[in-house]
Amino acid sequence: MIIERSSTWKEGFIERLENRESWDNWTLYKMSYDVVKTNLITDFTGLQSPKYLPNLTPLPHQLEVAQTVIERMNGKAILADEVGLGKTIEAGLIMKEYLIRGLVKKALILAPASLINQWVEELNHKFYIPAIAYRKNYGLDHYNVVVMSMDMAKRSPHKEHIYEQDYDLIIVDEAHKLKNHKTKNYEFVQDLKKKFCLLLTATPIQNNLFELFHLISLLKPGHLGDYETFQAAFSASKHNWENDEFLKVLVNQVMVRNRRQDTGIEWTSRRVQTIPIQFTQQEKEVYDMILELKNISPEFSSPFTMITLQKEMCSSKEATYLTLNEMRQKCTDPKVVRYIEEIIQKLVALEINAKAEKAYEIITEANDKVILFTEYRASQAYLQWYLHSKGITSVIFNGKFKASKRDWMKQLFKDHAQVLIATESGGEGINLQFCHHVINYDLPWNPMKLEQRIGRVHRLGQEHDVHIYNLAIEQTIEEDILELLHVKIDVFEKAVGELDSILSTFKQSI
């Protein structure tokens, strides 16, 4: 670089000196002074961003979260508010604040594919942040704020292009999907340069304590020590540990969590029921035959296979048939094939689905819009047929749908159908405050999936009490699922904090 002394000032100086011209323009100076003063940030405490957001009125708890993350956590935090309290708004406020202050110039938001358009729309219209949804032919060098799906980002060549960028801020939505530290998702985020980083999840623990350890280690490596140190210091196992209060202190240094009751907003209530169901004699006979499979052949002694079949049988014969038929085709033992065919014959002959009848009874009594969650697409198809035969209109919603079809199904549900039959992935990221009845037709092993399902309706804007119906068939694997769900809820509450009700008391229900 060559530095030369400039002499261009001389002409103007001599002209003003000899011709007695004015040396300045007070009006222009005052205008310039006012502009600089307006943009000057003299104190790092407090938020500047709200005055630049005419289309947004943040709630007090959202402003408090943004200020806490910036002033106390140095921009590295888990935003763990309960579902529906506006974690996206909080993240947008933090990003806007850093952009205004010049501390962030480039940002990357990683989100499920179904939520990308929602992120882009909110950042552009609510925060005046020029975000774009990444496409395969885009060059990352030319865009400062990019929203991308995790599935695309972790694959080549996108992964390498991302690593080449100097991102100041990384935001990961639905961050509980990073719970397994052995996955490509986790490794990808771990390798990102993270000057500032926000992990958004209402459920930082889903199954066990070590998920929280790995999430915090991703955000701030060493904050809880290494794995062995953490395990020894807290005598930690998956569902038990010591020094509860000390662990909470460490966790709260990197995690902000608001519950609905903490926000000062008047929320409607949750009314949760766990409803016991009895199989018909014919259904019970098929279920017992399935249990016997593990004794018929070592080929079917795998716990995963048996658990899958039991859960499917508690859902629908259609879901069960698909798995049994696949097993029959792969089996080489004629004796076992005959036994599977006997099960299939009895399965096909079933005329009653006790759980579907109970769901229909609930839907009829509700006489209002209902979301019904199942884990199997075969059960989805059956339930739509069954409800149609009873005169109930419904639409299907699952993760295979593209964004446009998801929006269309949501609109059909709002305007025309009484029931939305959704799978787990189908229910992700949709806001359905106009509905206030949820049937958990199939129970997941993970209690946080129940919280996510309920959060589709029990969120800001809900004007009615929300009714939750958890269906469980007696003397089946669903009793075991309920017991484990209560154990995992206890783990969450000990490490993170109390949950809103998602299950009614087990012993009163079954």
Side-chain angles (χ1 to χ4, degrees), residues 340-359:
I340 293 174
E341 287 176 344
E342 185 181 347
I343 298 176
I344 289 175
Q345 286 176 1
K346 289 184 177 292
L347 186 73
V348 171
L350 291 175
E351 295 181 354
I352 296 174
N353 182 320
K355 189 189 276 187
E357 289 194 343
K358 176 57 72 173

Side-chain angles (χ1 to χ4, degrees), residues 206-472:
Q206 299 219 331
N207 294 290
N208 64 68
L209 179 66
F210 295 112
E211 294 172 351
L212 181 61
F213 167 80
H214 291 303
L215 208 58
I216 291 175
S217 298
L218 190 64
L219 187 72
K220 296 185 82 171
H223 183 72
L224 297 177
D226 59 25
Y227 185 86
E228 289 75 18
T229 303
F230 174 75
Q231 202 170 21
F234 294 96
S235 301
S237 63
K238 285 184 176 182
H239 299 152
N240 290 288
W241 61 92
E242 297 175 0
N243 302 324
D244 289 6
E245 292 307 314
F246 181 49
L247 178 60
K248 277 188 177 178
V249 168
L250 292 175
V251 169
N252 289 337
Q253 290 173 358
V254 293
M255 184 175 76
V256 187
R257 176 174 171 79
N258 284 301
R259 297 189 62 208
R260 291 175 186 86
Q261 64 188 40
D262 302 329
T263 61
I265 301 168
E266 189 173 337
W267 289 85
T268 58
S269 300
R270 285 187 186 183
R271 304 187 183 279
V272 182
Q273 300 177 57
T274 301
I275 300 174
I277 300 166
Q278 287 189 336
F279 266 147
T280 63
Q281 184 59 41
Q282 293 77 12
E283 287 175 308
K284 184 71 167 65
E285 184 179 346
V286 175
Y287 186 86
D288 289 342
M289 289 180 74
I290 288 172
L291 287 178
E292 189 62 25
L293 260 176
K294 62 179 181 291
N295 300 321
I296 297 292
S297 171
E299 195 175 346
F300 303 113
S301 60
S302 160
F304 178 77
T305 302
M306 293 309 301
I307 286 171
T308 299
L309 274 170
Q310 290 175 75
K311 287 194 68 184
E312 287 173 338
M313 186 59 206
C314 289
S315 182
S316 70
K317 69 180 184 182
E318 286 74 10
T320 314
Y321 172 81
L322 292 177
T323 302
L324 282 173
N325 190 48
E326 187 178 341
M327 290 168 63
R328 176 177 62 178
Q329 291 172 357
K330 291 180 179 178
C331 186
T332 56
D333 186 336
K335 178 185 173 184
V336 178
V337 170
R338 284 195 298 274
Y339 186 78
I340 293 174
E341 287 176 344
E342 185 181 347
I343 298 176
I344 289 175
Q345 286 176 1
K346 289 184 177 292
L347 186 73
V348 171
L350 291 175
E351 295 181 354
I352 296 174
N353 182 320
K355 189 189 276 187
E357 289 194 343
K358 176 57 72 173
Y360 167 67
E361 180 185 319
I362 293 168
I363 291 165
T364 304
E365 288 178 2
N367 193 28
D368 203 344
K369 293 191 180 296
V370 178
I371 305 175
L372 188 154
F373 280 100
T374 177
E375 296 205 330
Y376 308 103
R377 288 204 294 276
S379 295
Q380 256 192 332
Y382 161 72
L383 287 165
Q384 186 172 44
W385 169 84
Y386 174 76
L387 292 176
H388 176 74
S389 71
K390 299 286 189 179
I392 303 289
T393 55
S394 66
V395 292
I396 281 179
F397 201 95
N398 62 52
K400 294 293 183 182
F401 292 172
K402 293 182 178 179
S404 58
K405 187 170 183 179
R406 289 164 63 90
D407 291 341
W408 175 234
M409 291 297 107
K410 177 180 171 181
Q411 199 62 42
L412 281 177
F413 175 47
K414 185 174 183 179
D415 295 339
H416 302 290
Q418 184 181 352
V419 180
L420 179 77
I421 309 171
T423 59
E424 207 74 61
S425 57
E428 185 179 76
I430 55 171
N431 302 331
L432 301 166
Q433 294 95 321
F434 58 85
C435 175
H436 50 277
H437 293 270
V438 176
I439 297 176
N440 289 307
Y441 182 85
D442 296 322
L443 292 171
W445 291 101
N446 182 345
M448 298 304 109
K449 287 187 176 180
L450 287 176
E451 173 64 17
Q452 293 283 349
R453 291 175 180 181
I454 297 168
R456 300 307 101 219
V457 299
H458 198 212
R459 56 195 305 114
L460 288 170
Q462 179 57 260
E463 298 176 353
H464 302 273
D465 287 350
V466 174
H467 298 267
I468 314 300
Y469 312 90
N470 300 313
L471 308 188

